[in-house]
């Protein structure tokens, strides 16, 4: 179980990745919402104001407060004091000595957000609303690897959308772990999904990567959502992923599940 108090020091062993999940739409207490805004820096507050719809402003506020409060569980830095710098592809990294060892990745969608945190490990995470309307298999036809498209098309039609989002979250998690975003071609790496086994990845030689160093963990935090975490494994072997629902600044979040 991950401790739930936001300011109690929390150990982050090198063989663990912690994933904190929040449901922004369920946070309606005005006192909590009012407490989140001062945690954001000026740039974040400006970006939050630019969203046209209130629900998107609320999602941004809660998810970015979650990042700061989660990081402050692992290092003696006040939530409002964290500073970030983006790489050339827009991925933020921590400024300061903590950035030498502390890694994080944020993802959010309608209904849920998550932040994954690890020590000295390249990691990426993604969460999607797997029940949202829109094209799914058609997107795969254009962007996924041929083996994934074939596996997807071989499923009964009613199962294709769920499998699409399994592929999509895994692919997003991998490219975010690489720190290069969608500059990486989605059709040059492929996942093999076998029930009861961890996802396995294969690469086109042009990717310049090897499967053995990567580990992928999937999770369904709700009937509606699909999530995945990717990380480059240290030499010591596989990592344990610990997931927990939380409400930022509310210490009553129950533990959820541990996956290896």
């Amino acid at each position: 179980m991950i401790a739930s108090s936001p300011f109690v020091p929390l150990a982050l062993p090198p063989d663990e990745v912690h994933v904190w999940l929040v449901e922004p739409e369920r946070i309606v207490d005005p006192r909590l919402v009012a407490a989140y805004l001062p945690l954001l820096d000026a740039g974040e507050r400006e970006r939050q104001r630019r969203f046209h719809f209130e629900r998107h402003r609320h999602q941004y506020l809660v998810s970015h407060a979650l990042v700061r409060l989660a990081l402050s569980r692992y290092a003696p830095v006040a939530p409002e004091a964290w500073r970030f710098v983006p790489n050339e592809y827009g991925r933020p990294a921590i400024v300061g000595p903590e950035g030498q060892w502390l890694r994080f990745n944020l993802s959010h969608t309608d209904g849920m957000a998550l932040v994954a945190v690890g020590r000295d490990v390249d990691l990426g995470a993604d969460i999607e609303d797997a029940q949202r309307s829109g094209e799914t298999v058609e997107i795969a036809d254009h962007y996924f690897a041929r083996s994934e498209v074939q596996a997807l098309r071989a499923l009964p039609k009613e199962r294709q959308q769920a499998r699409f989002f399994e592929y999509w979250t895994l692919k997003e998690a991998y490219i975010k772990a690489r720190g290069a975003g969608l500059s990486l071609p989605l059709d040059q790496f492929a996942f093999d999904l076998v029930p009861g086994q961890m996802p396995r990845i294969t690469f086109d030689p042009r990717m310049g990567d090897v499967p053995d160093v990567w580990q992928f963990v999937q999770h369904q935090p709700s009937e509606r959502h699909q999530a995945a975490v990717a990380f480059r494994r240290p030499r010591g072997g596989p990592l344990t992923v610990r997931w927990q629902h939380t409400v930022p600044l509310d210490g009553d979040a129950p533990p959820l599940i541990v996956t290896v």
Side-chain angles (χ1 to χ4, degrees):
M1 182 180 76
I2 302 173
S4 59
S5 173
F7 299 111
V8 172
L10 182 63
L12 184 61
D15 61 349
E16 291 186 3
V17 169
H18 294 177
V19 184
W20 299 89
L21 304 113
V22 65
E23 298 176 77
E25 285 82 353
R26 292 181 177 270
I27 300 177
V28 295
D29 185 336
R31 294 170 299 177
L32 281 176
V33 175
Y36 296 155
L37 191 60
L39 303 182
L40 275 56
D41 63 28
E44 289 169 324
R45 290 195 292 271
E46 175 60 28
R47 288 189 289 275
Q48 191 252 358
R49 284 194 295 266
R50 289 180 194 159
F51 285 101
H52 180 72
F53 295 107
E54 170 58 29
R55 69 186 180 95
H56 292 148
R57 291 194 292 270
H58 185 71
Q59 289 169 3
Y60 184 97
L61 174 64
V62 174
S63 61
H64 285 74
L66 173 67
V67 169
R68 292 172 170 276
L69 288 160
L71 293 176
S72 290
R73 297 172 186 262
Y74 305 102
V77 177
E80 65 274 15
W82 292 101
R83 295 293 177 263
F84 309 104
V85 60
N87 70 5
E88 60 183 305
Y89 301 103
R91 173 175 172 155
I94 296 168
V95 175
E98 294 79 15
Q100 297 177 16
W101 61 273
L102 190 57
R103 306 284 187 271
F104 77 97
N105 198 226
L106 169 68
S107 180
H108 54 85
T109 189
D110 282 349
M112 196 165 293
L114 65 76
V115 59
V117 185
R119 174 185 289 272
D120 295 319
V121 61
D122 295 329
L123 61 83
D126 189 52
I127 189 164
E128 300 290 341
D129 178 359
Q131 294 181 1
R132 72 172 186 249
S133 59
E135 295 182 343
T136 52
V137 179
E138 293 79 7
I139 293 173
D141 287 339
H142 286 92
Y143 296 106
F144 285 10
R146 180 176 299 179
S147 62
E148 293 170 327
V149 175
Q150 291 173 342
L152 193 57
R153 289 287 187 182
L155 291 172
K157 191 169 184 178
E158 64 271 16
R159 293 176 54 196
Q160 290 179 3
Q161 182 171 351
R163 178 56 57 90
F164 168 85
F165 281 106
E166 288 192 68
Y167 284 137
W168 184 264
T169 52
L170 286 164
K171 283 177 172 289
E172 281 278 340
Y174 169 73
I175 63 177
K176 291 171 76 177
R178 286 279 302 266
L182 288 172
S183 66
L184 296 178
L186 298 180
D187 63 346
Q188 291 186 15
F189 61 98
F191 286 94
D192 182 21
L193 301 181
V194 178
Q197 298 181 18
M198 282 188 181
R200 295 195 299 267
I201 193 170
T202 57
F203 296 106
D204 183 292
R206 290 171 291 177
M207 285 292 290
D209 207 343
V210 292
D212 291 348
V213 302
W214 289 98
Q215 182 178 337
F216 302 90
V217 175
Q218 297 175 283
H219 183 55
Q220 283 187 279
S222 78
E223 291 183 3
R224 175 182 164 190
H225 294 95
Q226 178 68 43
V229 181
F231 37 86
R232 201 188 305 264
R233 295 186 301 186
R235 293 183 180 180
L239 278 69
T240 296
V241 179
R242 298 183 180 271
W243 308 77
Q244 182 164 321
H245 282 289
T246 188
V247 174
L249 294 179
D250 184 339
D252 296 326
L256 183 61
I257 195 171
V258 176
T259 57
V260 178

